[in-house]
């Protein structure tokens, strides 16, 4: 596949579009988990181990619960309403009882009854290893000496309140009392003791309140009895002094006045009724013929019959008049009969009117007579009004004192009854029993929390490591950050497979650096050699677009492996039969010349200075046929960039281009010096070496942005010294599986 570099803006745009999708976000998180998997496993394992240590060292706790309900119906079966006026039980009342259960009064009563100050669980250390450690630490800071009874009680109270739970179940009147202890039987015993202490406290509170109310009622009853007797005696004495006779609870003149007043009301109603009948009859007389409703209302058979005859004749007259004309004898006769009937109806109505008028006059006369009698009775009653006012006042006082006396006497009897009934509104509906299963620590919950917390902590640590990891580790980072192709990933080299190396290059058998420079020759089927071949393929494919005969290998910083790559690439190409020359153009630090040609007296600098010919300073490797041009004498050079940018240097490269198929230049790093930038006019493609896991992204990006001429001719980036075992977590297709599966059978897997 032909590899062509994308512009940086296009690469950034592609990644920006991909980053917004949910699938890309999920994939990025999965990649983080895969890369940081060992760290996450270690953190999660540590959390689980801590949780297991806690479960093994913590003392098991048991919780027992008792249920109590507040119900007034049980009390109402035995007694009337309380003297103290018990309020209706509502939500606030239940919450108040919950707070009473939590009060120190109840807690201290239980501690006192069960002698909990002598229990080591309440007066000593907590259970388990953690409790022993905390007790030891507390003992170091506490004052020496035996604790007093008050201090023991307060300490026991603190432990008691910590282990006790009281809550209301939903919106019901049921309260749940729970207690947690290391001893299950003790937990049940204390929970039941709390309920009993609450009931006893309620009984005691009611008894004390009722007893105080009874004492007060006795004194008040004596006083009211004396006042009621004096008031009744005053009423009797007043009636005797004023000759007031009481009949059925009422005075005589009052009874007469009420009777006359009742008669007057009836007479007035009768007069109004007679007046209404007379007025209605006057209205009826104004009509020619009363309608059917009026006739029925009067209930007069004569008028009803006459009206029926009148209506029948009127119908016949209308028919004859329409048939024979209004002047026909039959029609005229009918009209005459109708007039006679009308006259008879009018006479009957007048008779009824006279009867109604007579009734009205009688009613008016009777009403006037009753009014006269009422006036006489009123005048008589006015004579005793002053006496009646005083009498009513005396009677009212007597009734009030008597009512108060009866009421207080009843309350006193109720209070006596309440003292004899030991009943409260609260009752236990479910007593606490010995729990069979521990309530804490909950193993599954703690392990689940440890796993969840460990995963969250490990994921946070993984994200922190990812955010702080500003180095190159994947091909995607190179393509996204630099806008260039990653043409090869070179694994970190270990000891070579062959220990016996020889040749004309002056290598020593025990020199590891020299062994690395010939690695592709000595280990042709290794992963490293295969990665260098992929770089060679990229060079050949890119030659379709532009000529790639002069290749420059550079890096950001020293010791990133550019010299090793350039040497192995040149040897690989030369071993394949091509004419290749390797030029050490790192005039600041010619490490390649020191490793391959340590005895060379002349080199590149001498050729550029026209002090030597190329043929005289080039060395040939007999095994691969690779031509090597050393750097030469560089110790006295101050401006190496001027040497590399000079016309003789360009002429030399042109000469080498004509004599060799490939010219490989080992260039200095870009960050310390500017030598690489001046070589862009005569270099066809640059190969940029980045050390896996060490080279900073921002440093490489800064160098390439400041050297656009290098970026434009960049063939690709090589990730060097990659740890294949870790690489599998960053890019699985570049990991150990990809290499080892197909090369382990040859015995060259490092």
């Amino acid at each position: 596949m032909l590899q062509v570099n994308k512009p940086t803006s296009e690469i950034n745009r592609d990644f920006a579009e991909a980053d917004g999708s949910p699938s890309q976000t999920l994939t990025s998180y999965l990649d983080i988990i895969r890369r940081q998997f060992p760290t996450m496993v270690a953190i999660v394992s540590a959390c689980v181990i801590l949780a297991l240590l806690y479960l093994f060292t913590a003392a098991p706790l048991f919780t027992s619960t008792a249920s109590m309900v507040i119900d007034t119906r049980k009390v109402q079966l035995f007694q009337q309403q309380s003297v103290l006026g018990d309020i209706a039980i509502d939500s606030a009342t239940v919450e108040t009882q919950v707070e009473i259960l939590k009060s120190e009064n109840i807690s201290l009563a239980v501690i006192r009854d069960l002698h909990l100050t002598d229990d080591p669980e309440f007066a000593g250390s907590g259970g388990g290893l953690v409790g022993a450690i905390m007790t030891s630490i507390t003992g170091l800071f506490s004052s020496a000496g035996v604790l007093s009874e008050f201090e023991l009680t307060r300490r026991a109270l603190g432990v008691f309140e910590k282990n006790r739970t009281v809550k209301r179940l939903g919106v019901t009147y049921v309260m749940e009392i729970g207690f947690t202890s290391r001893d299950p039987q003790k937990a049940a015993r204390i929970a039941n003791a709390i309920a009993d202490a609450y009931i006893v406290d309620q009984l005691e509170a009611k008894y004390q309140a009722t007893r105080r109310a009874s004492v007060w009622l006795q004194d008040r009853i004596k006083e009211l009895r004396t006042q009621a007797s004096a008031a009744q005696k005053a009423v009797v004495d007043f009636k005797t002094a004023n000759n007031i006779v009481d009949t059925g609870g009422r005075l005589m003149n009052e009874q007469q006045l009420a009777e006359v007043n009742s008669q007057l009301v009836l007479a007035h109603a009768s007069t109004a009724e007679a007046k209404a009948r007379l007025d209605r009859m006057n209205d009826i007389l104004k009509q020619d013929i009363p309608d059917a409703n009026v006739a029925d209302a009067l209930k007069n058979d004569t008028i009803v019959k006459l009206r029926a005859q009148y209506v029948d004749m009127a119908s016949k007259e209308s028919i004859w008049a329409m048939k024979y004309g209004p002047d026909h004898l039959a029609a005229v006769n009918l009209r005459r009969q109708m007039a006679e009937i009308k006259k008879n109806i009018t006479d009957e109505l007048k008779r009824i009117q006279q009867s109604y008028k007579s009734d009205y006059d009688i009613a008016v006369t009777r009403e006037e007579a009753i009014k006269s009698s009422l006036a006489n009775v009123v005048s008589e009653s006015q004579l005793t009004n002053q006496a009646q006012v005083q009498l009513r006042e005396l009677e009212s006082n007597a009734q009030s004192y008597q009512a108060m006396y009866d009421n207080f006497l009843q309350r006193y009897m109720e209070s006596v009854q309440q003292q004899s009934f030991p009943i409260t509104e609260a009752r236990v509906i479910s007593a606490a029993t010995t729990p069979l299963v521990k309530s804490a620590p909950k193993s599954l919950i703690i392990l689940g929390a440890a796993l969840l917390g460990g995963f969250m902590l490990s994921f946070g640590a993984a994200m922190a490591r990812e955010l702080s990891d500003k180095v190159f580790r994947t091909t995607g980072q190179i393509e996204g950050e630099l806008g260039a192709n990653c043409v090869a990933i070179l694994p970190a080299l270990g000891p070579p497979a062959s220990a016996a190396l020889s040749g004309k290059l002056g290598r020593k058998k025990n020199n590891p650096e020299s062994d690395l420079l010939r690695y592709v020759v000595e280990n042709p089927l290794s992963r490293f050699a295969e990665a260098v071949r992929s770089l060679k393929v990229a060079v050949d494919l890119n030659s379709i677009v532009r000529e790639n005969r002069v290749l420059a290998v550079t890096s950001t910083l020293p010791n990133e492996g550019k010299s090793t790559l350039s040497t192995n690439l040149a040897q690989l190409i030369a071993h394949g039969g091509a004419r290749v020359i390797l030029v050490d153009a790192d005039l600041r630090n010619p490490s390649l010349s020191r490793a391959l040609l340590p005895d060379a007296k002349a080199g590149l600098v001498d050729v550029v200075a026209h002090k030597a010919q190329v043929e005289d300073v080039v060395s040939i490797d007999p095994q691969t046929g690779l031509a090597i041009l050393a750097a030469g004498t560089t110790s006295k050079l101050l401006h190496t960039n001027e040497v590399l940018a000079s016309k003789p240097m360009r002429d030399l490269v042109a000469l080498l281009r004509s004599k060799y198929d490939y010219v490989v230049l080992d260039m200095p790093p870009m960050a310390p010096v500017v030598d690489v930038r001046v070589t862009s006019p005569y270099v066809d493609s640059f190969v940029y070496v980045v050390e896996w896991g060490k080279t900073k992204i921002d440093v490489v990006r800064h160098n390439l942005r400041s050297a656009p001429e290098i970026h434009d001719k960049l063939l690709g980036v090589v990730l060097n010294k990659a740890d294949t075992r870790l690489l599998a977590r960053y890019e699985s297709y570049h990991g150990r599986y990809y290499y080892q599966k197909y090369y382990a059978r040859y015995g060259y897997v490092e």
Side-chain angles (χ1 to χ4, degrees), residues 349-382:
L349 290 175
K350 287 181 178 180
R351 186 186 65 79
I352 295 173
Q353 180 189 21
Q354 291 297 325
S355 176
Y356 285 171
K357 187 175 183 303
S358 176
D359 293 340
Y360 174 69
D361 293 339
I362 294 172
V364 170
T365 302
R366 182 171 177 271
E367 182 180 358
E368 293 297 332
I370 294 175
K371 286 182 179 180
S372 176
S373 299
L374 179 61
N376 294 331
V377 174
V378 170
S379 61
E380 292 177 359
S381 64
Q382 289 177 352

Side-chain angles (χ1 to χ4, degrees), residues 79-300:
Q79 61 187 40
Q80 302 296 324
Q81 185 179 3
S82 174
V83 177
L84 303 178
D86 291 341
I87 59 175
I89 298 178
D90 56 4
S91 180
T93 304
V94 179
E95 294 296 336
T96 302
Q97 301 307 312
V98 170
E99 295 302 321
I100 293 176
L101 273 168
K102 294 180 181 179
S103 64
E104 286 190 2
N105 189 24
I106 303 297
S107 302
L108 292 175
V110 176
I111 293 173
R112 183 174 55 254
D113 294 340
L114 299 182
H115 306 288
L116 297 182
T117 54
D118 301 331
D119 193 329
E121 183 178 352
F122 293 88
S125 63
L129 179 62
V130 178
I133 295 174
M134 293 301 296
T135 303
S136 300
I137 296 175
T138 306
L140 295 176
F141 296 98
S142 62
S143 60
V146 181
L147 297 177
S148 63
E149 184 66 24
F150 175 77
E151 292 174 338
L152 288 174
T153 302
R154 299 309 297 181
R155 175 179 291 186
L157 179 61
V159 177
F160 184 90
E161 292 181 345
K162 178 181 178 182
N163 295 330
R164 179 209 56 206
T165 58
V166 179
K167 63 180 180 180
R168 179 186 182 186
L169 296 182
V171 295
T172 65
Y173 292 161
V174 178
M175 297 179 294
E176 186 179 79
I177 305 170
F179 195 84
T180 303
S181 175
R182 299 198 301 268
D183 185 357
Q185 296 179 354
K186 185 192 301 181
R189 186 168 64 253
I190 294 177
N192 290 324
I194 294 174
D196 294 339
Y198 170 76
I199 293 176
V200 171
D201 181 76
Q202 292 295 98
L203 288 173
E204 183 65 22
K206 284 196 171 186
Y207 175 77
Q208 293 296 335
T210 306
R211 188 177 63 84
R212 289 192 295 268
S214 299
V215 173
W216 180 81
L217 284 173
Q218 288 179 357
D219 297 336
R220 184 59 177 160
I221 286 172
K222 292 179 181 179
E223 182 181 354
L224 290 175
R225 184 186 299 114
T226 303
Q227 293 176 350
S229 299
Q232 291 176 0
K233 185 176 183 301
V235 171
V236 174
D237 294 341
F238 183 81
K239 288 183 177 180
T240 303
N242 292 277
N243 296 321
I244 297 176
V245 180
D246 192 359
T247 59
R250 299 178 62 187
L251 299 177
M252 257 178 140
N253 55 352
E254 291 180 353
Q255 186 174 1
Q256 291 177 359
L257 182 61
E259 292 176 357
V260 174
N261 190 33
S262 300
Q263 293 176 4
L264 179 60
V265 172
L266 294 175
H268 183 70
S270 178
T271 303
E273 181 180 0
K275 181 67 168 57
R277 288 199 302 269
L278 180 60
D279 293 340
R280 177 58 177 163
M281 183 55 65
N282 292 333
D283 294 337
I284 292 173
L285 287 174
K286 295 178 182 179
Q287 300 178 3
D288 291 338
I289 295 297
D291 53 18
N293 292 332
V294 172
D296 294 338
L298 293 175
K299 297 181 181 180
N300 189 292

